[in-house]
Amino acid sequence: MTDTFQVLDFFSQKTRSNPQAVYEQMRNTEPVYHTIGPISGSTFWVLTRYDDCVNMLKMPQVGKEVRKHMPPELLARFPEPTGPFAAIGRHLLDIDPPDHTRLRSMVHKAFTPGIVENLRPRIQQIADDLIDKMQNKAEVDLIADFGFPLPIIVIAELIGIPSEDRDRFRYWTKQILFGNNEQEVTAAAFEFVMYMHNMIDLRRENPQNDLLSGLVVAKEDGQEMDRQELISMLFLLLVAGHETTVNLIGNGTLLLLEHPDQMQKLQHDPSLIRSAVEEMLRYNGPVETTTFRYAFEDVQIGGKTIPQGDIILASLLGANRDPAVFDRPNEFDITRDSNKHIAFGNGIHYCVGAPLARMEGAIAINTLLRRLPTLHLQPGAEDSLEWSDSILIHGLKALPVAF
């Protein structure tokens, strides 16, 4: 292992708007890239080749529950979460088997192809209702007016969250994921946890026909979820259930506006939406990197030795433009076939809600093109678009459009 760390600028707005330039540079020169966080000071590794990413995500020597696998002399590097964050840290993205296997089997039952397909009419209705409201506005932000409300309405209804509380969940998740003020972030996490404690109590007393009620009484091999697992799972479902799809809709729409030939092709043949969504996910997907993985022992990846305890990230955006896997990787082609992107991850942590996100994205974008055939960016917007500051989520802060 080298003690020399390279520091590419991951966090400038220039990189945020075009992270592929950095990932391409890394993939060509240092595909297993060792760097240091500018704020945290922690070292980590970033993988940008497709095969390295897929292999790492399937390695049993790499995982989430780092404290279970570290020798005593390394444990001090991994403090346990405290306060409200301890209550939301037992979800699918933060645990390994056997608990992961048990919890995933419980929640997977809510996202079977049949159940997701039954949501199609409701998703279509929501998309049409939102466009009806947009048509009465002089100025439209496609993220705030369409991309955000559609998936948050869907996941909130699926879970059983009252409609009047949706905006509170948007605020809580934004603070917990992206907030810079420690007090505000902690307060948001605390409010979320207390709210969910109350909702769980209500469903135990009076079950409804919703996912929350189902999770409260769910059993796998005779075991129920404990209170911490329930709250953690609900946090993950609400965050992953809307944040990813918001950015699939926003990024995908922007891609079409920037590639008018592809937009016209899809308008003329809406049946292309399936391959179009897959290409949107590949070309400029909503999740930039995986969440942290930890090396439980020294591991070999791409010719480098990653020491025990080190953090590893897979760049999903980088892997999905790897020319070793994708022909013409930097070309946006909605008719691309054999598109084996990893926008939803890979291995045991593959996104359980991927079928729902795909359906929401397909319905949302086809409805936009059908209902608003002259959709375009507001004048001057192209040069002023701002992207999320996070290297986890890749999405627009706003998308000003006109029609």
Side-chain angles (χ1 to χ4, degrees):
M1 169 183 168
T2 177
D3 292 324
T4 302
F5 302 107
Q6 302 182 61
V7 183
L8 286 176
D9 187 357
F10 288 103
F11 298 99
S12 70
Q13 191 56 218
K14 179 180 178 182
T15 302
R16 294 295 84 232
S17 63
N18 182 27
Q20 289 290 359
V22 170
Y23 292 131
E24 183 170 357
Q25 178 185 347
M26 291 165 59
R27 195 172 53 244
N28 291 337
T29 61
E30 196 74 20
V32 182
Y33 182 85
H34 197 199
T35 190
I36 187 167
I39 298 173
S40 67
S42 299
T43 63
F44 60 98
W45 300 77
V46 183
L47 314 180
T48 49
R49 288 188 299 212
Y50 183 96
D51 286 347
D52 288 340
C53 292
V54 169
N55 291 339
M56 184 275 288
L57 293 173
K58 293 181 178 179
M59 280 184 170
Q61 309 97 314
V62 175
K64 306 297 297 188
E65 294 185 85
V66 63
R67 292 184 61 83
K68 288 185 177 181
H69 298 269
M70 291 301 108
E73 63 270 19
L74 289 182
L75 280 179
R77 291 167 53 182
F78 309 103
E80 293 194 80
T82 58
F85 300 103
I88 58 175
R90 292 289 300 168
H91 55 68
L92 292 178
L93 292 183
D94 269 348
I95 58 175
D96 298 316
D99 286 337
H100 177 274
T101 308
R102 173 176 57 87
L103 295 181
R104 188 179 179 96
S105 67
M106 289 182 181
V107 76
H108 178 72
K109 296 168 186 174
F111 294 98
T112 63
I115 289 175
V116 170
E117 184 60 33
N118 287 339
L119 296 172
R120 182 180 294 276
R122 178 57 181 148
I123 297 171
Q124 183 64 64
Q125 180 186 9
I126 293 167
D128 283 319
D129 289 347
L130 291 170
I131 291 177
D132 289 344
K133 293 175 183 176
M134 285 166 52
Q135 289 180 319
N136 297 322
K137 294 189 174 186
E139 295 185 354
V140 168
D141 170 8
L142 195 73
I143 303 299
D145 296 326
F146 187 73
F148 160 65
L150 187 150
I152 196 69
I153 291 171
V154 172
I155 195 65
E157 288 185 354
L158 186 62
I159 290 175
I161 302 300
S163 59
E164 61 269 21
D165 293 334
R166 292 172 196 149
D167 287 341
R168 296 169 70 187
F169 279 96
R170 176 66 166 176
Y171 171 78
W172 289 334
T173 58
K174 281 291 184 187
Q175 283 293 329
I176 295 168
L177 288 177
F178 310 122
N180 294 318
N181 184 299
E182 185 176 349
Q183 284 186 318
E184 292 177 0
V185 172
T186 302
F190 181 79
E191 289 172 16
F192 173 85
V193 169
M194 297 310 296
Y195 180 94
M196 294 317 307
H197 273 301
N198 183 57
M199 290 293 292
I200 291 167
D201 290 339
L202 290 174
R203 289 304 189 272
R204 287 201 190 280
E205 296 169 7
N206 185 21
Q208 305 290 315
N209 184 25
D210 54 37
L211 180 55
L212 176 53
S213 299
L215 292 176
V216 165
V217 301
K219 285 184 170 64
E220 186 68 23
D221 295 330
Q223 288 185 292
E224 295 182 357
M225 290 188 198
D226 64 32
R227 182 66 66 115
Q228 183 190 19
E229 290 172 339
L230 262 173
I231 292 175
S232 298
M233 184 69 76
L234 292 164
F235 174 72
L236 176 64
L237 291 173
L238 282 161
V239 172
H242 83 267
E243 197 66 47
T244 302
T245 310
V246 171
N247 297 319
L248 168 57
I249 294 169
N251 297 1
T253 302
L254 179 61
L255 279 172
L256 293 175
L257 297 176
E258 292 175 333
H259 297 83
D261 60 321
Q262 300 296 302
M263 184 169 172
Q264 290 171 8
K265 193 178 292 186
L266 185 54
Q267 284 176 316
H268 292 154
D269 185 1
S271 69
L272 291 173
I273 190 61
R274 184 168 182 171
S275 61
V277 166
E278 297 309 308
E279 180 69 344
M280 292 166 186
L281 288 163
R282 182 198 72 84
Y283 189 88
N284 205 26
V287 181
E288 185 165 335
T289 69
T290 56
T291 53
F292 285 178
R293 303 296 196 278
Y294 299 90
F296 295 155
E297 58 189 63
D298 291 359
V299 293
Q300 294 288 325
I301 299 178
K304 294 284 186 75
T305 299
I306 298 180
Q308 183 182 42
D310 276 16
I311 296 166
I312 311 172
L313 295 176
S315 168
L316 303 179
L317 293 188
N320 286 335
R321 297 274 194 104
D322 188 341
V325 176
F326 300 97
D327 184 38
R328 301 168 289 115
N330 293 320
E331 180 179 328
F332 178 63
D333 178 7
I334 67 167
T335 65
R336 184 183 297 270
D337 57 10
S338 187
N339 191 343
K340 55 179 185 177
H341 65 77
I342 55 170
F344 290 116
N346 204 275
I348 65 169
H349 292 287
Y350 181 84
C351 177
V352 71
L356 178 59
R358 285 183 161 105
M359 177 183 286
E360 290 173 324
I363 291 173
I365 289 167
N366 258 0
T367 304
L368 279 174
L369 298 187
R370 174 174 54 83
R371 296 281 309 274
L372 306 174
T374 61
L375 186 72
H376 58 277
L377 287 172
Q378 289 181 19
E382 191 168 5
D383 297 325
S384 60
L385 295 175
E386 290 189 37
W387 294 78
S388 166
D389 299 321
S390 167
I391 65 168
L392 172 63
I393 300 295
H394 181 57
L396 292 156
K397 294 182 180 180
L399 182 57
V401 297
F403 39 85

PDB file of all heavy atoms in Angstrom, residues 63-83:
ATOM      1  N   GLY A  63     -17.955  -5.972   2.979  1.00  0.00           N
ATOM      2  CA  GLY A  63     -19.349  -5.858   3.391  1.00  0.00           C
ATOM      3  C   GLY A  63     -19.609  -4.622   4.211  1.00  0.00           C
ATOM      4  O   GLY A  63     -18.854  -3.648   4.191  1.00  0.00           O
ATOM      5  N   LYS A  64     -20.690  -4.689   4.994  1.00  0.00           N
ATOM      6  CA  LYS A  64     -21.210  -3.514   5.680  1.00  0.00           C
ATOM      7  C   LYS A  64     -20.922  -3.482   7.174  1.00  0.00           C
ATOM      8  O   LYS A  64     -20.575  -2.455   7.727  1.00  0.00           O
ATOM      9  CB  LYS A  64     -22.735  -3.439   5.473  1.00  0.00           C
ATOM     10  CG  LYS A  64     -23.184  -3.473   4.020  1.00  0.00           C
ATOM     11  CD  LYS A  64     -22.682  -2.285   3.239  1.00  0.00           C
ATOM     12  CE  LYS A  64     -23.230  -0.989   3.765  1.00  0.00           C
ATOM     13  NZ  LYS A  64     -22.893   0.158   2.904  1.00  0.00           N
ATOM     14  N   GLU A  65     -21.111  -4.606   7.857  1.00  0.00           N
ATOM     15  CA  GLU A  65     -21.045  -4.603   9.324  1.00  0.00           C
ATOM     16  C   GLU A  65     -19.589  -4.737   9.779  1.00  0.00           C
ATOM     17  O   GLU A  65     -19.150  -5.779  10.253  1.00  0.00           O
ATOM     18  CB  GLU A  65     -21.927  -5.718   9.881  1.00  0.00           C
ATOM     19  CG  GLU A  65     -23.412  -5.461   9.597  1.00  0.00           C
ATOM     20  CD  GLU A  65     -24.319  -6.484  10.242  1.00  0.00           C
ATOM     21  OE1 GLU A  65     -24.653  -6.304  11.425  1.00  0.00           O
ATOM     22  OE2 GLU A  65     -24.665  -7.475   9.563  1.00  0.00           O
ATOM     23  N   VAL A  66     -18.891  -3.623   9.661  1.00  0.00           N
ATOM     24  CA  VAL A  66     -17.454  -3.625   9.837  1.00  0.00           C
ATOM     25  C   VAL A  66     -17.040  -4.003  11.260  1.00  0.00           C
ATOM     26  O   VAL A  66     -16.033  -4.685  11.474  1.00  0.00           O
ATOM     27  CB  VAL A  66     -16.881  -2.247   9.425  1.00  0.00           C
ATOM     28  CG1 VAL A  66     -17.397  -1.136  10.319  1.00  0.00           C
ATOM     29  CG2 VAL A  66     -15.370  -2.266   9.430  1.00  0.00           C
ATOM     30  N   ARG A  67     -17.829  -3.602  12.253  1.00  0.00           N
ATOM     31  CA  ARG A  67     -17.432  -3.842  13.646  1.00  0.00           C
ATOM     32  C   ARG A  67     -17.442  -5.336  14.000  1.00  0.00           C
ATOM     33  O   ARG A  67     -16.801  -5.742  14.972  1.00  0.00           O
ATOM     34  CB  ARG A  67     -18.341  -3.060  14.599  1.00  0.00           C
ATOM     35  CG  ARG A  67     -18.165  -1.540  14.502  1.00  0.00           C
ATOM     36  CD  ARG A  67     -19.015  -0.831  15.539  1.00  0.00           C
ATOM     37  NE  ARG A  67     -18.642  -1.211  16.897  1.00  0.00           N
ATOM     38  CZ  ARG A  67     -17.649  -0.677  17.583  1.00  0.00           C
ATOM     39  NH1 ARG A  67     -16.917   0.279  17.053  1.00  0.00           N
ATOM     40  NH2 ARG A  67     -17.390  -1.078  18.820  1.00  0.00           N
ATOM     41  N   LYS A  68     -18.161  -6.128  13.225  1.00  0.00           N
ATOM     42  CA  LYS A  68     -18.191  -7.566  13.488  1.00  0.00           C
ATOM     43  C   LYS A  68     -16.925  -8.269  13.006  1.00  0.00           C
ATOM     44  O   LYS A  68     -16.677  -9.418  13.369  1.00  0.00           O
ATOM     45  CB  LYS A  68     -19.401  -8.208  12.806  1.00  0.00           C
ATOM     46  CG  LYS A  68     -20.731  -7.878  13.453  1.00  0.00           C
ATOM     47  CD  LYS A  68     -21.845  -8.664  12.776  1.00  0.00           C
ATOM     48  CE  LYS A  68     -23.195  -8.415  13.436  1.00  0.00           C
ATOM     49  NZ  LYS A  68     -24.273  -9.197  12.778  1.00  0.00           N
ATOM     50  N   HIS A  69     -16.140  -7.583  12.180  1.00  0.00           N
ATOM     51  CA  HIS A  69     -15.047  -8.272  11.499  1.00  0.00           C
ATOM     52  C   HIS A  69     -13.672  -7.693  11.798  1.00  0.00           C
ATOM     53  O   HIS A  69     -12.679  -8.214  11.299  1.00  0.00           O
ATOM     54  CB  HIS A  69     -15.275  -8.223   9.981  1.00  0.00           C
ATOM     55  CG  HIS A  69     -16.525  -8.906   9.536  1.00  0.00           C
ATOM     56  ND1 HIS A  69     -16.559 -10.236   9.179  1.00  0.00           N
ATOM     57  CD2 HIS A  69     -17.792  -8.444   9.403  1.00  0.00           C
ATOM     58  CE1 HIS A  69     -17.798 -10.557   8.839  1.00  0.00           C
ATOM     59  NE2 HIS A  69     -18.566  -9.492   8.969  1.00  0.00           N
ATOM     60  N   MET A  70     -13.610  -6.625  12.593  1.00  0.00           N
ATOM     61  CA  MET A  70     -12.340  -5.970  12.822  1.00  0.00           C
ATOM     62  C   MET A  70     -11.651  -6.480  14.084  1.00  0.00           C
ATOM     63  O   MET A  70     -12.303  -6.729  15.095  1.00  0.00           O
ATOM     64  CB  MET A  70     -12.535  -4.461  12.937  1.00  0.00           C
ATOM     65  CG  MET A  70     -12.935  -3.766  11.644  1.00  0.00           C
ATOM     66  SD  MET A  70     -11.726  -3.981  10.313  1.00  0.00           S
ATOM     67  CE  MET A  70     -12.632  -5.123   9.239  1.00  0.00           C
ATOM     68  N   PRO A  71     -10.329  -6.590  14.047  1.00  0.00           N
ATOM     69  CA  PRO A  71      -9.586  -6.920  15.274  1.00  0.00           C
ATOM     70  C   PRO A  71      -9.650  -5.735  16.232  1.00  0.00           C
ATOM     71  O   PRO A  71      -9.911  -4.596  15.825  1.00  0.00           O
ATOM     72  CB  PRO A  71      -8.166  -7.159  14.769  1.00  0.00           C
ATOM     73  CG  PRO A  71      -8.068  -6.392  13.490  1.00  0.00           C
ATOM     74  CD  PRO A  71      -9.437  -6.456  12.880  1.00  0.00           C
ATOM     75  N   PRO A  72      -9.424  -5.973  17.514  1.00  0.00           N
ATOM     76  CA  PRO A  72      -9.562  -4.910  18.516  1.00  0.00           C
ATOM     77  C   PRO A  72      -8.774  -3.641  18.195  1.00  0.00           C
ATOM     78  O   PRO A  72      -9.247  -2.533  18.443  1.00  0.00           O
ATOM     79  CB  PRO A  72      -9.059  -5.571  19.806  1.00  0.00           C
ATOM     80  CG  PRO A  72      -9.277  -7.040  19.585  1.00  0.00           C
ATOM     81  CD  PRO A  72      -9.079  -7.274  18.132  1.00  0.00           C
ATOM     82  N   GLU A  73      -7.587  -3.787  17.632  1.00  0.00           N
ATOM     83  CA  GLU A  73      -6.767  -2.603  17.386  1.00  0.00           C
ATOM     84  C   GLU A  73      -7.341  -1.694  16.293  1.00  0.00           C
ATOM     85  O   GLU A  73      -6.942  -0.532  16.174  1.00  0.00           O
ATOM     86  CB  GLU A  73      -5.332  -3.010  17.016  1.00  0.00           C
ATOM     87  CG  GLU A  73      -5.184  -3.807  15.729  1.00  0.00           C
ATOM     88  CD  GLU A  73      -5.287  -5.316  15.955  1.00  0.00           C
ATOM     89  OE1 GLU A  73      -5.817  -5.720  17.014  1.00  0.00           O
ATOM     90  OE2 GLU A  73      -4.844  -6.065  15.067  1.00  0.00           O
ATOM     91  N   LEU A  74      -8.281  -2.194  15.484  1.00  0.00           N
ATOM     92  CA  LEU A  74      -8.895  -1.366  14.438  1.00  0.00           C
ATOM     93  C   LEU A  74     -10.281  -0.853  14.812  1.00  0.00           C
ATOM     94  O   LEU A  74     -10.813   0.027  14.142  1.00  0.00           O
ATOM     95  CB  LEU A  74      -8.998  -2.161  13.125  1.00  0.00           C
ATOM     96  CG  LEU A  74      -7.694  -2.444  12.377  1.00  0.00           C
ATOM     97  CD1 LEU A  74      -7.987  -3.202  11.086  1.00  0.00           C
ATOM     98  CD2 LEU A  74      -6.949  -1.156  12.063  1.00  0.00           C
ATOM     99  N   LEU A  75     -10.874  -1.392  15.858  1.00  0.00           N
ATOM    100  CA  LEU A  75     -12.259  -1.042  16.185  1.00  0.00           C
ATOM    101  C   LEU A  75     -12.446   0.436  16.485  1.00  0.00           C
ATOM    102  O   LEU A  75     -13.518   0.996  16.229  1.00  0.00           O
ATOM    103  CB  LEU A  75     -12.746  -1.870  17.380  1.00  0.00           C
ATOM    104  CG  LEU A  75     -13.191  -3.299  17.072  1.00  0.00           C
ATOM    105  CD1 LEU A  75     -13.621  -3.991  18.354  1.00  0.00           C
ATOM    106  CD2 LEU A  75     -14.317  -3.306  16.046  1.00  0.00           C
ATOM    107  N   ALA A  76     -11.418   1.091  17.021  1.00  0.00           N
ATOM    108  CA  ALA A  76     -11.552   2.505  17.367  1.00  0.00           C
ATOM    109  C   ALA A  76     -11.829   3.367  16.143  1.00  0.00           C
ATOM    110  O   ALA A  76     -12.354   4.483  16.270  1.00  0.00           O
ATOM    111  CB  ALA A  76     -10.282   2.991  18.067  1.00  0.00           C
ATOM    112  N   ARG A  77     -11.510   2.862  14.944  1.00  0.00           N
ATOM    113  CA  ARG A  77     -11.762   3.624  13.722  1.00  0.00           C
ATOM    114  C   ARG A  77     -13.232   3.644  13.343  1.00  0.00           C
ATOM    115  O   ARG A  77     -13.639   4.395  12.448  1.00  0.00           O
ATOM    116  CB  ARG A  77     -10.955   3.018  12.563  1.00  0.00           C
ATOM    117  CG  ARG A  77      -9.459   3.204  12.689  1.00  0.00           C
ATOM    118  CD  ARG A  77      -8.695   2.343  11.704  1.00  0.00           C
ATOM    119  NE  ARG A  77      -9.125   2.503  10.312  1.00  0.00           N
ATOM    120  CZ  ARG A  77      -8.608   1.803   9.289  1.00  0.00           C
ATOM    121  NH1 ARG A  77      -7.659   0.905   9.525  1.00  0.00           N
ATOM    122  NH2 ARG A  77      -9.031   1.995   8.067  1.00  0.00           N
ATOM    123  N   PHE A  78     -14.037   2.804  14.012  1.00  0.00           N
ATOM    124  CA  PHE A  78     -15.426   2.642  13.579  1.00  0.00           C
ATOM    125  C   PHE A  78     -16.380   2.851  14.751  1.00  0.00           C
ATOM    126  O   PHE A  78     -16.955   1.890  15.272  1.00  0.00           O
ATOM    127  CB  PHE A  78     -15.623   1.249  12.970  1.00  0.00           C
ATOM    128  CG  PHE A  78     -14.604   0.919  11.929  1.00  0.00           C
ATOM    129  CD1 PHE A  78     -13.538   0.070  12.220  1.00  0.00           C
ATOM    130  CD2 PHE A  78     -14.675   1.478  10.672  1.00  0.00           C
ATOM    131  CE1 PHE A  78     -12.581  -0.237  11.263  1.00  0.00           C
ATOM    132  CE2 PHE A  78     -13.729   1.187   9.705  1.00  0.00           C
ATOM    133  CZ  PHE A  78     -12.682   0.342   9.995  1.00  0.00           C
ATOM    134  N   PRO A  79     -16.548   4.092  15.189  1.00  0.00           N
ATOM    135  CA  PRO A  79     -17.471   4.348  16.302  1.00  0.00           C
ATOM    136  C   PRO A  79     -18.902   3.989  15.921  1.00  0.00           C
ATOM    137  O   PRO A  79     -19.333   4.176  14.769  1.00  0.00           O
ATOM    138  CB  PRO A  79     -17.320   5.855  16.546  1.00  0.00           C
ATOM    139  CG  PRO A  79     -16.807   6.400  15.246  1.00  0.00           C
ATOM    140  CD  PRO A  79     -15.954   5.322  14.655  1.00  0.00           C
ATOM    141  N   GLU A  80     -19.626   3.449  16.880  1.00  0.00           N
ATOM    142  CA  GLU A  80     -21.016   3.091  16.625  1.00  0.00           C
ATOM    143  C   GLU A  80     -21.881   4.352  16.577  1.00  0.00           C
ATOM    144  O   GLU A  80     -21.628   5.310  17.313  1.00  0.00           O
ATOM    145  CB  GLU A  80     -21.524   2.147  17.714  1.00  0.00           C
ATOM    146  CG  GLU A  80     -20.858   0.790  17.681  1.00  0.00           C
ATOM    147  CD  GLU A  80     -21.608  -0.219  18.534  1.00  0.00           C
ATOM    148  OE1 GLU A  80     -22.633  -0.747  18.065  1.00  0.00           O
ATOM    149  OE2 GLU A  80     -21.163  -0.465  19.656  1.00  0.00           O
ATOM    150  N   PRO A  81     -22.899   4.368  15.710  1.00  0.00           N
ATOM    151  CA  PRO A  81     -23.786   5.531  15.669  1.00  0.00           C
ATOM    152  C   PRO A  81     -24.538   5.688  16.984  1.00  0.00           C
ATOM    153  O   PRO A  81     -24.826   4.707  17.677  1.00  0.00           O
ATOM    154  CB  PRO A  81     -24.739   5.205  14.507  1.00  0.00           C
ATOM    155  CG  PRO A  81     -24.670   3.718  14.344  1.00  0.00           C
ATOM    156  CD  PRO A  81     -23.282   3.332  14.750  1.00  0.00           C
ATOM    157  N   THR A  82     -24.845   6.941  17.315  1.00  0.00           N
ATOM    158  CA  THR A  82     -25.538   7.226  18.568  1.00  0.00           C
ATOM    159  C   THR A  82     -26.812   8.018  18.288  1.00  0.00           C
ATOM    160  O   THR A  82     -27.041   8.504  17.175  1.00  0.00           O
ATOM    161  CB  THR A  82     -24.640   8.034  19.519  1.00  0.00           C
ATOM    162  OG1 THR A  82     -24.255   9.265  18.857  1.00  0.00           O
ATOM    163  CG2 THR A  82     -23.397   7.259  19.891  1.00  0.00           C
ATOM    164  N   GLY A  83     -27.628   8.170  19.320  1.00  0.00           N
ATOM    165  CA  GLY A  83     -28.843   8.979  19.207  1.00  0.00           C
ATOM    166  C   GLY A  83     -29.778   8.447  18.133  1.00  0.00           C
ATOM    167  O   GLY A  83     -29.884   7.220  17.923  1.00  0.00           O
TER     168      GLY A  83
END
